[in-house]
Amino acid sequence: MRLLLTLVGAATAVLLAAGLYFGLVASPPDAFQGDYVRIMYVHVPSAFAAYLAAGTVFVASLLYLWRGRALYDHVAHSATELATLFTGLALAGGMIWGKPVWGTWWAWDARLVTTAMLFLIFAGALMVRELVEDRQRGARLAAVVGIIGALDVPLIHYSVVWFRTLHQAPSITRGEIKMAPPMVAALLVNLLAFAALYLYLLLQRVRLERLEAARSAGIEP
Amino acid sequence: MTAWRRAAALARKDLLLEWRGRETITAMAGLALLVVLLLGFVLGAEAARAPAILWVALLLAATLGVSRWTQAEVEQQALETLLLYPGSREHIYWGKWGALTLLLTVLLGLLLAAIGLLFNVDLWARFPLLLGAGLLGIAGLSAVGTLFAALLIPVRGRELLMPLLLLPVELPVLLGGVRLTEAILTGSPGGGLWLGVLAVFDILFLLVAPVLYTVVLEEA
């Protein structure tokens, strides 16, 4: 575990440094968006990490309810926290980017609304867990909320997209962005970096979770 | 006893309790009427706004009813007795779901009448279609609602948490219900897609929720 943590941590640090270089130095400013396009190199990867976390919540929750191993619950809990974190970051990044480029903080864009709903669902799952006296009982109930929430993600996404697009043309249309190769590289490196960051945070959080569980069971780790 | 009779007996018990007190339906109808009146006054009661206001009122009022849906079991300590009866616990889910669906359908009928009167919308000719669309939404609403009502039994401050959990999950029902009702009222195309969204939501959660319900009841 310790070796794995060091390896993933080192890879994350290298990838994040490369992501910073590609995002801030190697890629040119966008023809339409100028330097604001660089926010995308953080915003898109946060949303990507949020979806990775949502997928982890679903799989780990199912496994926990099925098999009942504490490790699956540690993963589900940690991933729920990270899903809340990364949906929050994606929302904040999207709004900061939206203000200069779209001219408004909140554009009622389908993806923004979906992300906000996901943020609330995962926050709800965390609250269910915290507000139950018995630890194991809270874990199983949070797993149920996690499964329902994750199953709902595609339904929420498509209903929000269709609700907007089939009714009225979007008032703000984004220009066709043909991406230059350095920009694609910046995006890809940052996607990879955030995936690694997510994995690293997940491993660290699971480790902490295990230590907490061991302490509350009265066993010296 | 067959599954059907167990579920029906449970639904009958819940509906009889509700009939004797009529507390939940009164509170839900009151809140729904308030939402319709407030939104209608603040936004302006144009017929085009009626579907959105109808569904927001239905969803908010349903949240109120759902969080009370296990009140009798909790207050009278009747849950233990209920769980001690032999047979599958999925039957308890179906009984609760059936009773909640019926209760919300009564609410929908009242709401449709209120909207028809207050918004000057001619919905009587399309009443069966509107009721059908509403039922499709209500089926999914109570599918998740029944599960969450049981899930929140051991959670502190469950009435506070219910809207927070239920409303984001029910978003597809709200959007689908609004667009389908619009399509029925104006005769515009596009209703088929939303019929599909509501149907997929219903089928998905009516398949998954009863299974998760048995997990939840073990923890209740």
Side-chain angles (χ1 to χ4, degrees):
Chain A
M1 187 77 181
R2 178 115 342 142
L3 181 69
L4 183 67
L5 265 176
T6 318
L7 282 177
V8 176
T12 307
V14 171
L15 280 168
L16 278 176
L20 275 178
Y21 170 75
F22 275 100
L24 292 178
V25 183
S27 69
D30 184 76
F32 299 103
Q33 302 173 24
D35 278 332
Y36 297 124
V37 75
R38 300 185 201 282
I39 299 171
M40 279 290 131
Y41 304 143
V42 182
H43 168 65
V44 178
S46 334
F48 177 65
Y51 279 100
L52 280 182
T56 314
V57 171
F58 181 65
V59 175
S61 297
L62 267 184
L63 281 172
Y64 179 60
L65 290 184
W66 184 29
R67 288 289 161 87
R69 274 185 62 189
L71 175 67
Y72 297 134
D73 175 52
H74 296 335
V75 175
H77 185 194
S78 311
T80 311
E81 280 184 358
L82 289 173
T84 319
L85 172 74
F86 281 113
T87 43
L89 281 178
L91 276 177
M95 287 171 78
I96 292 168
W97 178 83
K99 182 63 183 163
V101 177
W102 284 346
T104 169
W105 292 106
W106 189 264
W108 294 106
D109 174 67
R111 272 164 296 183
L112 277 179
V113 176
T114 307
T115 313
M117 289 295 146
L118 288 186
F119 177 78
L120 288 171
I121 289 175
F122 288 120
L126 287 178
M127 285 169 81
V128 165
R129 177 187 293 270
E130 292 307 316
L131 290 172
V132 177
E133 221 56 65
D134 182 71
R135 207 184 157 93
Q136 212 171 6
R137 185 190 259 184
R140 288 174 69 84
L141 295 181
V144 171
V145 177
I147 291 171
I148 292 282
L151 281 176
D152 211 19
V153 170
L155 281 171
I156 291 179
H157 179 77
Y158 284 108
S159 61
V160 170
V161 170
W162 291 332
F163 193 83
R164 282 279 148 193
T165 48
L166 291 186
H167 191 232
Q168 57 185 46
S171 41
I172 303 144
T173 47
R174 274 181 285 174
E176 277 281 302
I177 305 166
K178 289 205 177 70
M179 287 178 90
M183 295 169 109
V184 179
L187 194 58
L188 284 180
V189 170
N190 276 296
L191 279 174
L192 214 60
F194 269 64
L197 178 66
Y198 164 67
L199 188 64
Y200 180 67
L201 290 175
L202 185 71
L203 288 173
Q204 282 286 17
R205 188 66 186 85
V206 169
R207 193 175 78 98
L208 187 63
E209 190 91 356
R210 292 175 76 163
L211 290 174
E212 278 174 358
R215 193 197 56 186
S216 67
I219 308 160
E220 283 299 313
Chain B
M1 246 206 202
T2 61
W4 167 248
R5 284 188 53 200
R6 283 169 52 90
L10 200 95
R12 192 175 159 273
K13 184 264 305 176
D14 273 349
L15 290 171
L16 187 66
L17 262 179
E18 177 57 31
W19 177 252
R20 291 198 176 139
R22 289 192 275 282
E23 285 170 6
T24 312
I25 189 71
T26 313
M28 285 199 305
L31 177 65
L33 185 64
L34 263 171
V35 172
V36 170
L37 283 173
L38 293 178
L39 288 184
F41 189 68
V42 173
L43 296 174
E46 284 130 44
R49 297 221 167 92
I53 292 179
L54 168 79
W55 279 91
V56 169
L58 183 70
L59 212 65
L60 290 178
T63 310
L64 196 66
V66 168
S67 54
R68 283 189 55 84
W69 206 227
T70 45
Q71 203 76 3
E73 272 82 4
V74 175
E75 280 174 3
Q76 324 283 332
Q77 276 104 43
L79 191 66
E80 289 83 353
T81 326
L82 200 61
L83 294 180
L84 280 174
Y85 289 127
S88 165
R89 283 167 184 182
E90 277 189 32
H91 304 159
I92 301 179
Y93 176 85
W94 290 113
K96 288 254 166 206
W97 175 81
L100 185 61
T101 304
L102 204 69
L103 192 69
L104 291 178
T105 309
V106 172
L107 177 70
L108 173 73
L110 294 173
L111 254 174
L112 280 175
I115 293 271
L117 288 173
L118 296 171
F119 281 70
N120 200 21
V121 186
D122 182 29
L123 42 81
W124 309 113
R126 303 185 186 90
F127 199 77
L129 270 179
L130 287 172
L131 204 64
L135 258 176
L136 210 58
I138 284 173
L141 196 67
S142 41
V144 181
T146 307
L147 176 69
F148 281 177
L151 189 143
L152 289 179
I153 290 176
V155 179
R156 262 180 291 137
R158 57 178 173 277
E159 294 86 0
L160 303 176
L161 213 50
M162 180 59 87
L164 237 65
L165 282 184
L166 196 60
L167 291 176
V169 172
E170 299 285 2
L171 186 74
V173 171
L174 174 72
L175 302 185
V178 169
R179 284 286 185 256
L180 191 56
T181 310
E182 273 175 5
I184 292 171
L185 282 178
T186 59
S188 59
L193 174 75
W194 295 105
L195 200 72
V197 169
L198 289 180
V200 168
F201 189 94
D202 289 1
I203 293 168
L204 177 67
F205 286 114
L206 282 176
L207 285 176
V208 174
V211 180
L212 291 175
Y213 196 73
T214 56
V215 175
V216 163
L217 281 191
E218 277 163 31
E219 305 300 326

